[in-house]
Structure formats: C-alpha cells, structure tokens
C-alpha cells in the first residue's frame, strides 16, 4: 500500500528525513527551477529514480496543487491509541498534548500539525469519528510535520482525556465563553490543550472532561478564530511560559 505525497515542501521533507519511504518520484517535464533542483538533488543522493511527466498527467494523479512534483511513498509510521501512554511517560513534565475535537478540514489539520511540530508537541490526538485523518492534502499543508508529529486517532476521546488526567496531565479546553483567559493559566507543567471545530466547538462530553476552560481574549467583532490559527496562538503561549 502506498500513499501520494505532493507539493514541493511536503516531498522535500520526506526526502530529507525518510527517503527510504519514497518508491516512485514524478516531476513535471520541462521544469528546472531552483526549488525542483533541490528535490532532484535529494533524490539523487538517495538513489531514487525520477520519472518526468507532463503537467496534465500529474494533474490526474492528485487532487490539489502539486507544484510539479508527486511521490508515491510507503505510509508514514502509524501511531495507535495504545502508544499514547508511552509518549506521555517519555515526555514527563514537558508533555504537551494537542487535542482536536471534530476538526474535519484537512487544510486545518495540516496547519495544526505544522504548528504542533514547531511548538514541540508530544502528540496530536483526535477522535476517529467525525474527524479528518492523515491524507495527501494534510501531508502537503503540514510541510513534513505529519511525518514527525505523532498523530493518534482514538475511539473514545472522553476516556482518553481521563487517562491523560490520571497520568498527571492538566486538560485545558478552549471555549469562548470561559471566564478566564489562557494567559492567566499556569501552563508550565504537563498539559493538554483541547480545541474544537469552528462553529460547534468542543462536544459536550469533551467539555465536561476538561479540568478547566480558558479563552483567547477577542478585541474585535469576530467571535472566534480559525482553529489552526487558535492552535498556533495557544501552543506558543505554552512555549512562552516554559522559556527559562
């Protein structure tokens, strides 16, 4: 079984980190700009054969902007629900879990994974139902982060939150109606940040299993932020607080 990875950054990230995953590499015939040359150089270093195809042929291979490069690759390392306790234990007091409840847009998931990688997140957790999983669009938007950040889909999110709490993790749910700001909370210890999808937010049972709720202060007329934007802000507030 193979998966399609497309886009300059996504393919370049796999070639740089896990070139053994790439089975076939296709590039747009006649294209020779600097960014593509970097990919060709990485492919040559890993002894990966490159096949040139017309742009129209690449268009038929994927849905989305391929930027002249498509790779067929072995699936990335798949993390399972049973792996979460070990990841949490290994992270210790630095554990930082991002929980996405009901995010169905692959572009948002990809952007969240990219922020999670930059912030040093231990794992990203999402429910299996009514939630998007890893796919070609997610890999493209994540720009390589989907290959390195553990992404775990769980069958029962409420139960997983309870298990995190039992492991000593404080669970913070982001909700616009919360009384206190995220900036008022102590986030230096092991923490899980829970964000819901735009509009609906967190589900009731998810909300009930949070230790406390927090909000981002909003000064304008807009009532909420895109979930990927909110994720970046929240994660880097944790990073800021944990700086020496």
């Amino acid at each position: 079984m193979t998966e399609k990875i497309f886009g300059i950054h996504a393919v370049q990230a796999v070639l740089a980190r896990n070139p053994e995953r790439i089975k076939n590499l296709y590039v747009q015939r006649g294209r020779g700009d600097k960014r593509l040359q970097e990919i060709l150089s990485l492919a040559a270093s890993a002894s990966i054969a490159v096949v040139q195809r017309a742009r129209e042929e690449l268009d038929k291979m994927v849905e989305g902007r391929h930027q002249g490069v498509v790779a067929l690759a072995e699936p990335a390392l798949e993390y399972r629900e049973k792996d979460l306790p070990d990841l949490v234990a290994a992270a210790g007091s630095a554990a930082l879990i991002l929980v996405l409840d009901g995010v169905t847009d692959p572009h948002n998931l990809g952007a969240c994974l990219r922020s999670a990688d930059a912030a040093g997140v231990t794992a990203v957790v999402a429910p299996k139902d009514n939630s998007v999983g890893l796919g070609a669009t997610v890999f493209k938007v994540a720009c390589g982060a989907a290959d390195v950040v553990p992404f775990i889909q769980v069958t029962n999110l409420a139960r997983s939150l309870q298990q995190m709490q039992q492991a000593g993790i404080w669970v913070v749910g982001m909700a616009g109606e919360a009384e206190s700001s995220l900036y008022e909370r102590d986030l230096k210890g092991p923490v899980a940040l829970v964000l819901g999808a735009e509009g609906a937010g967190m589900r009731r049972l998810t909300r009930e299993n949070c230790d406390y709720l927090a909000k981002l202060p909003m000064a304008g007329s807009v009532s909420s932020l895109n979930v990927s934007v909110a994720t970046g802000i929240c994660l880097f507030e944790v990073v800021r607080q944990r700086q020496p």
Side-chain angles (χ1 to χ4, degrees):
M1 181 179 178
T2 59
E3 61 186 20
K4 294 177 181 177
I5 302 174
F6 60 92
I8 294 289
H9 292 298
V11 174
Q12 188 171 13
V14 177
L15 283 170
R17 293 168 174 164
N18 304 106
E20 67 280 357
R21 287 183 56 206
I22 303 294
K23 300 305 176 185
N24 301 95
L25 182 61
Y26 302 93
V27 300
Q28 183 176 323
R29 183 179 296 122
R31 180 171 175 175
D33 56 272
K34 181 180 178 181
R35 292 201 300 172
L36 189 59
Q37 287 301 321
E38 292 174 356
I39 285 182
L40 295 177
S41 178
L42 287 171
S45 299
S47 300
I48 297 172
V50 177
V51 179
Q52 294 195 357
R53 292 276 178 88
R55 186 184 67 184
E56 294 75 16
E57 293 181 83
L58 298 181
D59 290 343
K60 294 176 182 178
M61 293 179 66
V62 298
E63 294 183 7
R65 294 184 60 229
H66 51 70
Q67 298 176 303
V69 58
V70 177
L72 299 183
E74 293 289 343
L77 177 62
E78 183 178 354
Y79 288 88
R80 301 185 183 278
E81 193 168 348
K82 62 181 177 61
D83 297 322
L84 186 56
D86 289 338
L87 290 169
V88 169
S93 61
L96 173 55
I97 310 297
L98 172 62
V99 181
L100 301 174
D101 186 20
V103 173
T104 58
D105 186 335
H107 292 86
N108 279 336
L109 176 57
C112 288
L113 287 169
R114 191 171 180 180
S115 294
D117 178 42
V121 163
T122 306
V124 176
V125 176
K128 287 183 178 178
D129 296 330
N130 301 314
S131 177
V132 67
L134 297 180
T137 300
V138 174
F139 277 97
K140 181 176 185 296
V141 176
C143 295
D147 284 297
V148 293
V149 178
F151 177 71
I152 301 173
Q153 289 187 289
V154 299
T155 54
N156 187 320
L157 184 57
R159 182 179 63 199
S160 293
L161 293 177
Q162 293 166 7
Q163 291 171 343
M164 292 179 204
Q165 291 164 329
Q166 292 167 6
I169 293 178
W170 288 93
V171 178
V172 184
M174 298 305 300
E177 70 275 14
E179 294 183 0
S180 62
S181 162
L182 183 69
Y183 304 136
E184 300 171 32
R185 294 292 182 178
D186 184 352
L187 305 171
K188 298 183 183 69
V191 64
L193 294 176
V194 187
L195 290 94
E198 301 92 334
M202 291 181 292
R203 292 172 296 172
R204 177 187 60 81
L205 198 56
T206 303
R207 182 188 302 262
E208 291 176 356
N209 279 281
C210 293
D211 290 305
Y212 53 81
L213 302 179
K215 65 181 178 181
L216 290 175
M218 303 288 290
S221 59
V222 176
S223 60
S224 64
L225 296 171
N226 174 279
V227 65
S228 64
V229 174
T231 292
I233 294 172
C234 294
L235 289 178
F236 275 88
E237 172 58 16
V238 178
V239 172
R240 184 193 69 80
Q241 290 193 21
R242 291 180 176 184
Q243 292 298 307

